[in-house]
Amino acid sequence: MTVPGGKEADAAAAKGARGPLATVLAANAVSITGNSLTLIGVPWFALDTTGSPGKAGLVAFCAALPVLLSTLAGGPVIDRLGRRRVSIASDLICGLALASIPLLHRLGVLEFWMLCALMAVNGLCHAPGEMARHVLVPDLAQRAGTALPRAASLYDAVARGARMAGAAIAGLLVAFLGADTVLLLDAATFGLSALLVTAGLRGVPAAEPMRDGPPLSPARYRADLREGYAYLFRSRLMLGIMIMVMVTNGLSQSWSSVLLPVHAREELGGPAAQGLLVAVFGGCALAGALLYGAVGQRFPRRAVFAVGFLVGGAPPYVVAALTDTTAPLLVTMAAAGFGVGVLNPILTTVMYEQVPDALRSRVVGASTAGVLLTTPLGGLAAGFLVERVGLTSTLLGIGALYFLTTLAPLVFPAWRAMNTRPPEDIPAGSGPADSGPAGSGPVDSGSVDSGSVSSSGPSTPVPVPGRGGTPPRR
């Protein structure tokens, strides 16, 4: 005898519970695929239309500075407006801004200042959208019955896979169809991401506006910002992570926006080679993220994080400076991808474990602003240095700085707290971090389930962008 609606109802309920998480993963996959198109299309568009690495760096600066401003101040607004609404509006505005660039160019009216302004609009608006989706993952993972470390690894793996596919496609499209066509396709990905979020997150409580809090007055807004930053800065570990990632993000931006495109143009034969390198990096980073999701919980986070950053940081700069062929750099980018692939799952898991939902947008906004503080300068400084001292010297200098920065987890004692296991009877994100010497360490991910995690500390900064990517479309 079959109970009416028994197994069928259970299956439908399980599918409904998993649907919102699948929606966020799919929207991010589409968005990040388009982000890879921008990553390759915009620098080549700037180089093709201006012929100047310095101007390409200035475009990167104009795109990155508004990202910092929007993440610095956007957390309280995201909560009040609603994460679903912010994600949709962000994607639609960015899509229009990107589509305007090739359309104005084809009409013969695009000036350099217009290119800079449109990329600034894109930078200002895409960060809140990506952040809105990012902070939904813990709630959606719990709703879907997915363990938090596994959801964090899956989130990063999807992003890596999308970045790999987008880079490979972009390199070929720029080579055969031109950079302006790539920008039109990127605008279409924003539209598709908005449609997915519109349909897939309807009625999800965590995606709706905050209705039980006080109105967002200027005084309340300032108080919300202070609360997020106070929560973040109470732990020396979290402060150390934020400073380290802040420096490496600026260096990575110099690579993706100026150094790799110029190296590909001068030594490697063009955008197809760049697309191949970024795709291989993304594929190996995807493998690294999946591998960490499967077995990484067995190993101490600090050791894995330190080794991953050392392998994924300086080597590509040094190899690019010393070779004018693709094969050695291809091997190096593959190894760097594996190293970088383990970083985001570690940082994302710690952030999700530590921050309560009520503060998550504010703390993620504060930490994102911190780690993006140097990104506007990365491309600008790289373009200036390439024109003044040459590509090889710039690559070696930035590679040396990257290496010194990635020694931090091995040198400073506060990083030992990355392996510290907090008391298991404290509810997730129940209080601010201890301000002791080592800060408050994250939970050992092997003990985390999808429902409740223990925490007494603030957020870690949001994931670092990979070598092949710009800061995520937050």
Side-chain angles (χ1 to χ4, degrees):
M1 179 177 179
T2 303
V3 178
K7 293 183 178 179
E8 292 82 359
D10 291 344
K15 183 177 180 180
R18 292 192 296 267
L21 179 61
T23 293
V24 167
L25 294 176
N28 255 18
V30 172
S31 181
I32 292 172
T33 299
N35 207 35
S36 292
L37 301 182
T38 299
L39 168 70
I40 293 178
V42 169
W44 280 95
F45 184 85
L47 288 171
D48 287 344
T49 56
T50 70
S52 167
K55 286 189 175 180
L58 182 58
V59 171
F61 173 81
C62 292
L65 181 61
V67 175
L68 170 62
L69 298 177
S70 61
T71 53
L72 186 68
V77 176
I78 291 172
D79 286 338
R80 296 312 201 284
L81 296 181
R83 294 159 181 174
R84 176 173 171 268
R85 292 178 182 175
V86 170
S87 178
I88 294 168
S90 168
D91 282 341
L92 291 178
I93 294 172
C94 290
L96 290 173
L98 280 175
S100 299
I101 295 173
L103 293 178
L104 291 173
H105 178 64
R106 291 179 181 182
L107 292 173
V109 297
L110 181 68
E111 302 288 343
F112 181 71
W113 69 265
M114 296 179 185
L115 174 62
C116 293
L118 289 169
M119 289 306 298
V121 170
N122 180 69
L124 182 67
C125 294
H126 78 63
E130 178 69 19
M131 191 192 307
R133 293 189 293 271
H134 183 250
V135 298
L136 277 171
V137 171
D139 301 279
L140 303 185
Q142 183 175 8
R143 180 187 179 109
T146 302
L148 188 55
R150 196 168 301 278
S153 294
L154 183 61
Y155 184 90
D156 187 61
V158 168
R160 299 291 187 184
R163 187 170 291 117
M164 171 188 65
I169 295 169
L172 294 175
L173 289 177
V174 171
F176 292 104
L177 299 179
D180 54 350
T181 301
V182 172
L183 295 182
L184 287 173
L185 291 174
D186 190 14
T189 66
F190 273 112
L192 180 56
S193 176
L195 287 175
L196 288 170
V197 172
T198 300
L201 295 185
R202 189 185 305 275
V204 176
E208 296 304 314
M210 182 195 304
R211 302 191 186 279
D212 55 354
L216 188 59
S217 64
R220 180 69 257 174
Y221 181 78
R222 291 192 297 269
D224 285 351
L225 285 179
R226 284 196 301 269
E227 192 172 15
Y229 282 96
Y231 200 91
L232 174 65
F233 279 95
R234 283 193 176 98
S235 169
R236 292 185 184 179
L237 170 64
M238 299 307 144
L239 181 60
I241 291 174
M242 188 180 71
I243 292 173
M244 176 181 175
V245 178
M246 177 183 70
V247 175
T248 58
N249 273 0
L251 301 179
S252 294
Q253 179 73 358
S254 73
W255 171 266
S256 61
S257 63
V258 175
L259 298 179
L260 182 56
V262 172
H263 182 62
R265 185 180 66 167
E266 295 183 357
E267 306 289 351
L268 305 181
Q274 181 186 353
L276 175 63
L277 290 168
V278 176
V280 167
F281 175 89
C284 292
L286 167 62
L290 292 174
L291 183 63
Y292 183 82
V295 301
Q297 303 172 19
R298 305 174 188 174
F299 303 98
R301 288 174 175 171
R302 180 191 179 208
V304 174
F305 185 84
V307 171
F309 239 140
L310 286 170
V311 172
Y317 295 89
V318 177
V319 173
L322 300 179
T323 183
D324 58 358
T325 57
T326 303
L329 187 55
L330 193 65
V331 174
T332 306
M333 291 288 281
F338 274 109
V340 168
V342 306
L343 303 180
N344 282 358
I346 293 174
L347 295 181
T348 304
T349 299
V350 173
M351 185 275 292
Y352 287 156
E353 289 171 350
Q354 302 299 316
V355 184
D357 180 66
L359 290 177
R360 196 175 297 140
S361 293
R362 274 165 269 172
V363 176
V364 170
S367 60
T368 303
V371 300
L372 294 180
L373 193 62
T374 60
T375 53
L377 301 176
L380 188 65
F384 175 83
L385 289 173
V386 168
E387 291 192 343
R388 295 301 185 276
V389 303
L391 179 61
T392 299
S393 297
T394 302
L395 285 166
L396 289 175
I398 293 179
L401 181 57
Y402 213 128
F403 174 73
L404 293 174
T405 304
T406 51
L407 292 176
L410 303 176
V411 173
F412 296 105
W415 287 80
R416 297 171 187 165
M418 187 172 265
N419 297 328
T420 302
R421 185 189 185 97
E424 295 186 0
D425 57 347
I426 300 177
S430 61
D434 179 26
S435 58
S440 176
V443 183
D444 178 357
S445 57
S447 67
V448 178
D449 60 35
S450 62
S452 175
V453 292
S454 301
S455 170
S456 59
S459 164
T460 188
V462 296
V464 294
R467 169 81 58 247
T470 59
R473 271 159 52 156
R474 293 178 163 84

